[in-house]
Amino acid sequence: MVNRKFIPLIVTCCLFFLLFGIGSIQFESFGTSRVFFNLLTDNAFLIIAAVGMTFVILSGGIDLSVGAVIALTGVISSVLISQYNWHPLAVFPFVLLLGTGFGAAMGALIYFYKLQPFIVTLAGMFLARGLASVISEESIPITHEFYDAVSMFGFELPGGAWIGTSTIICLLVLIAAIVVAHYTRFGGRVYALGGDNNSAALMGVPLASTTISIYATSSFLATLSGIVYSFYTFSGYSLAAVGVELDAIAAVVIGGTLLTGGYGYVIGTLVGVLIMGVVQTYISFDGTLSSWWTKIVIGILLFCFIAMQRVLSRGR
Amino acid sequence: MSNATAVLQLRGIHKKFPGVHALKGVDFTLRPGEIHALLGENGAGKSTLIKVMTGVYTRDGGDILLDGQPIFPASTGDAQALGISTVYQEVNLLPNLTVAHNIYLGREPKRWGLIDWKTINQRSRELLKNYDLDIDVTQPLSSYSIAVQQLIAIARGVDMSAKVLILDEPTASLDADEVQSLFRIMRSLKERGIGIVFVTHFLDQVYAVCDRITILRNAELVGEFEAATLTRPELVGHMLGKELAALEDRLHQTTSESAAAPALTLTQVGRPGTLEPVDLQVAQGEVVGLAGLLGSGRTELCRLIFGVDKKQSGTMVFQGKTIHLSSTKEAIDLGMGLCPEDRKHDGILGPLSIRENIILAQQIKQGWWRFIPRKQQNAIAEKYVKDINIATSDIEKPIEQLSGGNQQKVILARWLASNPSLLLLDEPTRGIDIGAHAEIIKLIRQLCEQGLSLIVASSELEELVAFSDKVVVLRDRRKVAELTGSDIQPDTIMRAIASA
Amino acid sequence: MNAFLSNPQLRRYLWPVAGLLLLLLINLIISPEFFNLTFKDGRFYGSLIDVLNRAAPIALLAIGMTLVIATGGVDLSVGSVMAIAGAVSAYLIVSGVDSLTVIIAGGLAAGLVGGMINGLLVGYMNIQPIVATLILMVAGRGVAQLINEGQIVTFQHEAFSFLGTGYFLGLPFPIILVIITFVLVQLLMRRTALGLYVEAVGANASASRYLGINARAIKLSVYCLAGLCAALAGMIAAADIKGSDANNAGLWLELDAILAVVIGGASLMGGRFSLVLSIIGALIIQTLTVTIIMSGIPPKFNLLIKASAIILVLLMQSPRFQQQLSSLMLWRKRHG
């Protein structure tokens, strides 16, 4: 018998293959490794952010500040690089540190003042976007040879697929996240928090440090996602990445993670993003369907997965 | 008992909360290799004592000695590290983690810095075999029954080097077979020299496994007894605060014998797992007392009558009509009311005002569109504040700011305002001060004189004797006796509760 | 004043009203012309009227959101529902419907359907409100774009445009609509027992069950009401620009609406609500925006100030923070 806890993940994977299969049958050049790896390349930043969101949602929380943190990262990096002539390799650790601190502060507010994650991270979102627009309302281009080198770096796979820097970073993040989630005590504590706060505390899980670390991790990954995002755009803009937090949440849910926390897998989130990517690719291949169908389909998928989780947890 | 043979000793433990002195110098001694029952009615101080032992609360006075050494557990983690493990009725493990992960959470063995799942699963499997459990440890905990989960919790606790194992109401949601297998495990742990504290309200179970018994009442120690020499009636007497020998025979003044028409008749009403089928008749203007210890089925019976839970068997006739309640709304429309046992959780609407809390039942009876005008609301609220003496300066005060006794009076007022013909009061005097207590008893008497039928569940025998026309005794979710007239005396009730 | 403070009903008004007055005072100091009101051609003009007019959509959303939050829920989809309602009205107008009643009914129906979906998910399927309404928040914009076929649909319809740009009794019509909605909802909640039921469900769900209150139906109806309010706001927004912009109509307004309710002092855990306070909350948000502009602070600081305001309000409501604050005061009293 298949372990019950894997059912949502299996459904997610089947759905991906089904959608990819339908596309491949309908369009000649759809079912190629190039299209598949383009899904990774195009959505690398989303995958990184969604992995962070996975930890938050597994613990029973939510982080609405992700998109804003991405934008803020881009703005700070581009200002430091273009106006203060910092080297990108000096900028990245700096913004990652800032981002982690930002998340830790949100986590601390949530834990110590018993505030709801949703409203605290909402304030965080306003704060990050606000800071970004105070620093610059204009889009700031990044011109630096390091960025050129980054965009040139990569290698080609047989079949014409290209693996670039963003894809490599994204895959490394995925591996690291899987190890952390399933093979470290911190990972266990994240699941424990999502299972039952009280029991977790009675079993000796340190709630304060775990909560703070979870939101710090999410913001760290959002910042990293912001850096990767700047590799695509070569610029920093305060209005960039609007609504990415919603895409990330949708990817996590479609990836089979229970929104109430406690059940789910990091790898599912990857498949969740890929499903959303396939839908988008299919719609662009089709040509007659318009882009808004993406949102509607994602909404329907969200509904189906939430309903399925409801049924599964009722049977439990 | 000398210190040398005690694994855990508590001496003169005090614990105070704002307005409540929850433990008044309680002693407790646990020997290694014994099963020691900790008994007492609700509010006696058992759960506070356990929380002091396990580091949830810090004591305000007294000593805790573990193997003769004073200890100061500041958290459950602390207590656990010292060797004191606790298993609660609602299993405090994590339903979403695997069985093995639950057993090893917080002390996962590692290999190359990463959690070694293979070892965890293998060790868990072997560990659980000692508990007669041969299950797939990689499944989430939630896929197993409460009984299995409880054994897993015990296994975790004992495996973390427990010297003392506290079982807090572990049998409340188990069936007979599951209880027997739990007892088997308890006995084998006892043989390994572990001291077990067993909290339960099933007296049969106390006698089945326990060596000694400590009884608390009203935050004080009643005494420590050998199970073999303490008789059942003595035990009940200690718990309820009445020495059998000291009971003076008082004749119950019988009111007008049940010439009145029956208001409510239950025939074999029950619900599997909750309450065995019960027969019960309540006449117009009669007070029926429900006696029994905590968990005996008093609350369950009240909930079935009021439609909070649906009855699964039997028939219920209310004022001549056969009724099948599917919601409490129907019960309210028919003219019933229920003051629930857990006032805070099921009774009061904390942030709402006294006025709103009082008029709510009547409003619901009238329907949402027939709003009670504010003036009338004020009048109703003022009337009851005055009539039943609710101590407040202002009817607009949120009810959560009142004392327990006054909150209870507001809930009573809520139902009285709805003009019911049958009122169910579940432990109406619990957790309230003596003055309010007396007033509520007086009120109950007045109400039945006005022709209201009442069903009152209480663990205070004096109280039941004082106002009941008939007392129904429940034990282990079953009706065991019905007393009327001169039979309504504390000792007869007690004998019925204790009868094996 | 003492009598005022000792009345728990009135005390809740203290902070929000004080906040609004403070903002107005700042405006009085930095630019007294803020309070200038002129009456010309049967219409009032002035910054105050402007603030009220611009606050209208948030105020409408806040009315619905207040009730949803009172039941312990939240509705993230109101912004998207605004877009859908605007799109439906525009579609009707463009496809030749002339009857104002039909156009408005169409928009409202869209809102009602949206609210009903949310209400069924929350009340009958027991899905967490944030999650349930997230679905419509994501999909709703797609639906609106679908109706608009991805374009910004512009239209000419005088009677409909009146909703956004008309004047009535000397006031911009959106203000009148807010007043009408407020009065209707207030009557429905406070002249029937519905308001009491809503508060009971939010205050203690278990006790409400013992009292036989049908929590599911109550939840369904408040989400429906929130949908209707959002639809009205959406039609005002569409009428204002004589077009339906599915991408931007009502974008992020759900957050402002939640904010308005929180600033009004309501607990996100549910329980007591006050429509008046939420509208004051909406006015504070709008006045804040105007004050920032008036005081010469570049508008880009808007979000930053708003974020600080939310964090402050949240902390003030947290019991732990109040405790820390009062012990700090005590400490200073002792040592200073």
Side-chain angles (χ1 to χ4, degrees):
Chain A
M1 196 196 100
V2 186
N3 208 328
R4 253 190 111 107
K5 61 187 183 178
F6 291 125
I7 293 176
L9 189 61
I10 292 167
V11 173
T12 306
C13 291
C14 291
L15 182 66
F16 173 74
F17 288 119
L18 182 75
L19 290 173
F20 201 76
I22 293 174
S24 309
I25 293 165
Q26 249 183 306
F27 310 107
E28 218 168 282
S29 53
F30 198 102
T32 58
S33 68
R34 177 189 269 170
V35 168
F36 178 79
F37 279 99
N38 273 349
L39 288 179
L40 277 182
T41 313
D42 293 345
N43 294 301
F45 80 100
L46 180 57
I47 294 173
I48 297 171
V51 165
M53 186 72 80
T54 313
F55 281 95
V56 178
I57 291 181
L58 277 176
S59 78
I62 202 150
D63 185 354
L64 297 180
S65 70
V66 170
V69 169
I70 293 176
L72 180 61
T73 304
V75 170
I76 293 180
S77 315
S78 59
V79 166
L80 288 177
I81 293 168
S82 305
Q83 293 172 11
Y84 292 87
N85 296 317
W86 286 34
H87 192 277
L89 285 179
V91 170
F92 296 159
F94 176 69
V95 288
L96 285 172
L97 203 68
L98 275 186
T100 312
F102 182 78
M106 292 195 297
L109 279 178
I110 290 167
Y111 177 76
F112 289 112
Y113 296 106
K114 305 274 170 270
L115 299 175
Q116 292 193 357
F118 128 81
I119 191 96
V120 171
T121 56
L122 178 64
M125 164 180 149
F126 282 180
L127 197 70
R129 283 237 184 257
L131 268 177
S133 62
V134 166
I135 294 170
S136 167
E137 286 186 293
E138 306 295 311
S139 171
I140 308 164
I142 301 175
T143 42
H144 196 282
E145 64 267 25
F146 180 80
Y147 266 71
D148 300 328
V150 162
S151 72
M152 295 305 290
F153 182 79
F155 47 87
E156 203 173 308
L157 286 182
W162 174 258
I163 305 267
T165 317
S166 347
T167 317
I168 294 170
I169 294 177
C170 145
L171 291 176
L172 288 178
V173 164
L174 263 173
I175 293 168
I178 290 171
V179 170
V180 169
H182 306 305
Y183 293 95
T184 65
R185 284 195 186 158
F186 173 69
R189 287 171 182 165
V190 172
Y191 280 91
L193 239 62
D196 185 325
N197 249 318
N198 279 333
S199 298
L202 284 176
M203 289 173 82
V205 173
L207 295 188
S209 68
T210 308
T211 309
I212 292 172
S213 309
I214 288 167
Y215 287 89
T217 306
S218 173
S219 289
F220 170 83
L221 287 174
T223 313
L224 187 62
S225 162
I227 293 171
V228 169
Y229 193 76
S230 73
F231 293 160
Y232 302 84
T233 60
F234 284 78
S235 66
Y237 183 35
S238 61
L239 291 181
V242 167
V244 166
E245 56 277 350
L246 296 185
D247 289 342
I249 294 170
V252 173
V253 174
I254 294 174
T257 297
L258 199 66
L259 253 167
T260 44
Y263 296 87
Y265 299 92
V266 173
I267 194 74
T269 301
L270 169 71
V271 186
V273 174
L274 292 179
I275 287 177
M276 290 163 59
V278 167
V279 171
Q280 225 152 12
T281 312
Y282 181 89
I283 284 166
S284 69
F285 262 75
D286 183 273
T288 61
L289 286 171
S290 325
S291 63
W292 48 84
W293 276 105
T294 319
K295 282 178 188 160
I296 298 175
V297 172
I298 290 173
I300 293 170
L301 285 179
L302 261 181
F303 171 77
C304 294
F305 272 84
I306 289 166
M308 176 179 78
Q309 292 170 348
R310 198 77 231 165
V311 173
L312 279 181
S313 61
R314 211 169 266 169
R316 199 169 271 136
Chain B
M1 255 305 78
S2 72
N3 285 355
T5 55
V7 57
L8 181 71
Q9 190 168 33
L10 284 79
R11 290 196 300 222
I13 300 294
H14 278 273
K15 179 71 199 172
K16 288 174 192 161
F17 296 107
V20 188
H21 199 156
L23 289 175
K24 300 177 186 163
V26 171
D27 300 331
F28 181 76
T29 306
L30 181 71
R31 297 176 200 162
E34 75 162 344
I35 300 177
H36 194 139
L38 180 59
L39 304 179
E41 281 293 274
N42 249 353
K46 305 178 290 209
S47 58
T48 312
L49 189 67
I50 283 177
K51 284 179 175 160
V52 168
M53 286 185 214
T54 55
V56 177
Y57 296 151
T58 45
R59 57 189 185 267
D60 296 330
D63 297 311
I64 304 181
L65 304 177
L66 186 70
D67 287 335
Q69 299 298 314
I71 56 165
F72 300 89
S75 69
T76 46
D78 261 11
Q80 177 89 70
L82 290 165
I84 302 174
S85 295
T86 318
V87 176
Y88 300 92
Q89 176 188 348
E90 328 79 50
V91 184
N92 277 96
L93 294 181
L94 294 156
N96 58 324
L97 301 188
T98 67
V99 171
H101 200 174
N102 267 296
I103 294 176
Y104 278 95
L105 184 73
R107 53 190 187 115
E108 298 91 340
K110 291 189 177 180
R111 230 177 134 203
W112 314 110
L114 298 179
I115 292 179
D116 182 1
W117 287 111
K118 223 173 119 184
T119 308
I120 290 182
N121 292 338
Q122 196 185 334
R123 282 197 206 158
S124 305
R125 221 169 281 133
E126 283 161 15
L127 179 65
L128 291 181
K129 283 210 180 105
N130 297 333
Y131 294 83
D132 301 331
L133 286 179
D134 190 13
I135 57 174
D136 181 358
V137 295
T138 63
Q139 291 285 348
L141 184 77
S142 58
S143 35
Y144 296 104
S145 69
I146 296 286
V148 171
Q149 293 186 23
Q150 228 146 25
L151 290 181
I152 293 167
I154 292 174
R156 173 185 155 92
V158 172
D159 193 48
M160 290 172 79
S161 83
K163 298 171 188 163
V164 175
L165 182 64
I166 300 170
L167 302 175
D168 191 357
E169 302 271 6
T171 54
S173 31
L174 305 190
D175 67 32
D177 287 346
E178 291 167 338
V179 169
Q180 283 316 312
S181 66
L182 177 68
F183 284 177
R184 235 180 2 259
I185 300 296
M186 284 168 67
R187 289 192 192 103
S188 85
L189 290 175
K190 167 181 149 180
E191 259 150 47
R192 284 166 53 185
I194 295 171
I196 299 176
V197 181
F198 183 41
V199 181
T200 184
H201 51 253
F202 295 107
L203 296 189
D204 296 345
Q205 296 179 0
V206 172
Y207 283 107
V209 284
C210 293
D211 303 306
R212 293 194 303 155
I213 298 167
T214 291
I215 300 173
L216 303 182
R217 192 179 65 245
N218 293 334
E220 286 177 54
L221 176 71
V222 176
E224 190 188 86
F225 308 91
E226 294 289 331
T229 55
L230 186 69
T231 65
R232 227 172 243 269
E234 280 169 345
L235 173 63
V236 175
H238 288 312
M239 286 176 70
L240 300 181
K242 284 284 159 275
E243 306 293 329
L244 265 188
L247 276 175
E248 43 181 307
D249 270 16
R250 275 189 307 174
L251 272 180
H252 187 255
Q253 320 102 344
T254 41
T255 45
S256 56
E257 268 304 311
S258 53
L264 176 75
T265 311
L266 303 188
T267 320
Q268 292 295 300
V269 167
R271 185 181 159 91
T274 311
L275 191 71
E276 305 283 320
V278 166
D279 289 334
L280 179 72
Q281 202 164 52
V282 186
Q284 214 91 46
E286 189 180 44
V287 183
V288 174
L290 297 181
L293 295 175
L294 183 69
S296 57
R298 298 176 315 208
T299 299
E300 289 74 6
L301 181 55
C302 292
R303 287 169 60 103
L304 280 188
I305 295 174
F306 194 57
V308 183
D309 299 319
K310 247 173 129 169
K311 69 177 166 66
Q312 307 252 305
S313 66
T315 52
M316 209 160 117
V317 179
F318 184 61
Q319 292 176 334
K321 277 190 290 265
T322 306
I323 55 170
H324 302 278
L325 299 176
S326 57
S327 82
T328 52
K329 173 83 168 67
E330 293 167 29
I332 294 169
D333 288 342
L334 286 166
M336 295 191 207
L338 168 67
C339 295
E341 181 186 27
D342 188 342
R343 190 168 52 232
K344 191 163 176 229
H345 189 259
D346 303 323
I348 65 167
L349 298 158
L352 301 196
S353 68
I354 296 167
R355 164 181 58 85
E356 286 163 315
N357 270 285
I358 289 179
I359 59 112
L360 200 52
Q362 190 187 358
Q363 179 68 66
I364 283 159
K365 213 172 175 181
Q366 290 195 3
W368 63 270
W369 62 95
R370 284 174 51 202
F371 189 58
I372 304 170
R374 184 59 184 268
K375 252 191 193 155
Q376 201 181 330
Q377 290 189 15
N378 287 346
I380 296 170
E382 300 280 7
K383 171 177 183 293
Y384 284 101
V385 165
K386 209 172 108 242
D387 280 6
I388 60 177
N389 230 342
I390 299 168
T392 177
S393 50
D394 186 355
I395 54 168
E396 295 305 319
K397 205 189 253 183
I399 188 174
E400 60 198 358
Q401 292 175 8
L402 296 183
S403 70
N406 281 308
Q407 287 181 1
Q408 187 65 287
K409 286 187 194 166
V410 172
I411 307 278
L412 265 171
R414 168 192 293 171
W415 292 113
L416 296 180
S418 79
N419 202 11
S421 50
L422 171 69
L423 205 49
L424 301 133
L425 310 179
D426 193 359
E427 289 285 356
T429 58
R430 168 167 308 155
I432 64 183
D433 57 86
I434 297 180
H437 191 152
E439 283 179 279
I440 286 175
I441 302 287
K442 208 175 98 198
L443 190 68
I444 289 174
R445 283 215 192 98
Q446 280 173 6
L447 289 173
C448 78
E449 276 162 27
Q450 290 162 18
L452 189 66
S453 308
L454 283 164
I455 297 178
V456 185
S458 175
S459 47
E460 306 259 343
L461 299 187
E462 285 290 341
E463 211 178 278
L464 288 171
V465 171
F467 54 63
S468 302
D469 299 308
K470 185 198 285 180
V471 171
V472 169
V473 181
L474 294 156
R475 184 163 52 79
D476 296 344
R477 293 168 185 158
R478 185 176 290 139
K479 177 174 163 181
V480 291
E482 187 169 314
L483 309 171
T484 46
S486 55
D487 281 346
I488 302 180
Q489 284 169 35
D491 61 339
T492 46
I493 299 176
M494 208 141 62
R495 270 184 235 283
I497 293 175
S499 65
Chain C
M1 193 65 190
N2 265 339
F4 175 80
L5 282 181
S6 65
N7 185 333
Q9 299 280 349
L10 292 177
R11 198 164 47 199
R12 298 190 298 142
Y13 287 79
L14 184 67
W15 283 107
V17 170
L20 186 59
L21 288 179
L22 181 72
L23 279 176
L24 292 175
L25 188 70
I26 293 172
N27 277 306
L28 185 66
I29 294 165
I30 57 178
S31 64
E33 69 271 18
F34 181 82
F35 291 92
N36 287 355
L37 258 187
T38 50
F39 189 73
K40 220 166 51 188
D41 309 329
R43 295 174 180 188
F44 286 103
Y45 292 95
S47 301
L48 277 178
I49 301 293
D50 248 28
V51 167
L52 288 176
N53 194 14
R54 292 218 199 115
I58 303 179
L60 278 174
L61 295 183
I63 290 173
M65 191 68 80
T66 305
L67 300 180
V68 170
I69 287 180
T71 61
V74 77
D75 187 351
L76 296 178
S77 73
V78 288
S80 294
V81 170
M82 275 180 74
I84 298 177
V88 167
S89 318
Y91 175 81
L92 289 173
I93 295 171
V94 171
S95 50
V97 174
D98 195 46
S99 151
L100 185 63
T101 321
V102 174
I103 298 168
I104 291 179
L108 288 178
L112 191 63
V113 170
M116 209 150 14
I117 293 172
N118 289 331
L120 289 173
L121 291 180
V122 174
Y124 289 80
M125 286 181 69
N126 291 323
I127 296 174
Q128 289 167 284
I130 296 181
V131 178
T133 55
L134 182 74
I135 298 173
L136 192 58
M137 181 186 186
V138 172
R141 273 197 196 278
V143 171
Q145 280 166 337
L146 181 72
I147 298 167
N148 281 356
E149 294 178 336
Q151 310 292 315
I152 295 179
V153 176
T154 55
F155 53 79
Q156 286 299 325
H157 190 288
E158 218 151 278
F160 186 73
S161 298
F162 188 83
L163 287 182
T165 54
Y167 274 77
F168 186 71
L169 298 174
L171 289 172
F173 197 61
I175 299 178
I176 303 291
L177 279 177
V178 173
I179 294 172
I180 293 172
T181 312
F182 168 76
V183 169
L184 284 179
V185 176
Q186 183 76 0
L187 283 178
L188 186 66
M189 288 297 144
R190 298 303 187 196
R191 288 290 156 225
T192 75
L194 273 184
L196 189 58
Y197 288 13
V198 167
E199 289 178 330
V201 168
N204 187 341
S206 173
S208 307
R209 193 163 87 91
Y210 272 83
L211 280 165
I213 294 175
N214 188 344
R216 297 176 155 197
I218 294 284
K219 284 184 182 168
L220 180 62
S221 30
V222 296
Y223 282 93
C224 286
L225 206 90
L228 286 174
C229 288
L232 194 56
M235 287 189 285
I236 291 177
D240 192 28
I241 60 167
K242 297 191 173 51
S244 155
D245 178 355
N247 278 319
N248 296 311
L251 192 63
W252 306 126
L253 274 195
E254 58 276 341
L255 304 183
D256 279 351
I258 296 169
L259 202 56
V261 178
V262 172
I263 290 178
S267 158
L268 283 172
M269 307 303 288
R272 278 248 170 262
F273 73 85
S274 158
L275 293 175
V276 178
L277 280 174
S278 296
I279 288 180
I280 291 178
L283 288 178
I284 288 179
I285 292 177
Q286 196 56 43
T287 315
L288 186 66
T289 314
V290 174
T291 310
I292 293 168
I293 298 168
M294 293 282 221
S295 59
I297 301 173
K300 62 185 181 181
F301 281 92
N302 201 339
L303 267 179
L304 206 57
I305 293 172
K306 218 189 244 178
S308 318
I310 314 175
I311 295 172
L312 197 70
V313 171
L314 286 178
L315 283 179
M316 301 279 283
Q317 289 183 357
S318 153
R320 172 118 188 230
F321 185 77
Q322 290 168 0
Q323 229 170 45
Q324 287 176 345
L325 209 63
S326 59
S327 61
L328 187 74
M329 304 263 246
L330 215 68
W331 187 84
R332 284 187 54 182
K333 219 188 242 171
R334 258 187 225 146
H335 295 261

